[in-house]
Amino acid sequence: MPDINGALTGKAELTNAIGLHARPSVKLTQLAKSFQSSIELATDAAGPWVDAKSPVKVMRVKAPKGTVLHFAANGPDAETALSAILGLIEGKFGEE
């Protein structure tokens, strides 16, 4: 996970059947909210970036299966937060 502009970054491919829609979006935002760090996500490394703690903004991403999500985390628990979020996605949001 490289450090870009002070933020830790990482990425994970959506491999769950429905991609990033309602239920996975809620799980992602609930997990993101459990950390102090700011966490943003995008479908492209260049952005546009959205607040991963906002259910409405995350649901608007509507990323289908196969999309690579990029994350940037900045704050005291950024490394732990990024690791947990990538683990959630790699674990197919615990749904499969």
Side-chain angles (χ1 to χ4, degrees), residues 1-86:
M1 291 178 266
D3 184 336
I4 299 174
N5 295 330
L8 288 175
T9 60
K11 61 185 177 179
E13 181 179 345
L14 290 170
T15 57
N16 60 313
I18 62 170
L20 190 62
H21 290 286
R23 200 171 315 131
S25 293
V26 169
K27 287 185 177 186
L28 181 89
T29 57
Q30 285 176 338
L31 181 59
K33 286 179 180 181
S34 71
F35 296 99
Q36 290 181 339
S37 296
S38 64
I39 305 163
E40 294 183 304
L41 74 90
T43 56
D44 186 287
W49 293 88
V50 299
D51 181 358
K53 295 182 180 184
S54 169
V56 173
K57 291 179 182 178
V58 172
M59 278 191 243
R60 282 188 192 147
V61 173
K62 295 183 182 175
K65 180 179 180 178
T67 301
V68 174
L69 294 180
H70 299 264
F71 292 90
N74 199 342
D77 53 3
E79 190 170 343
T80 304
L82 198 53
S83 179
I85 288 172
L86 296 178

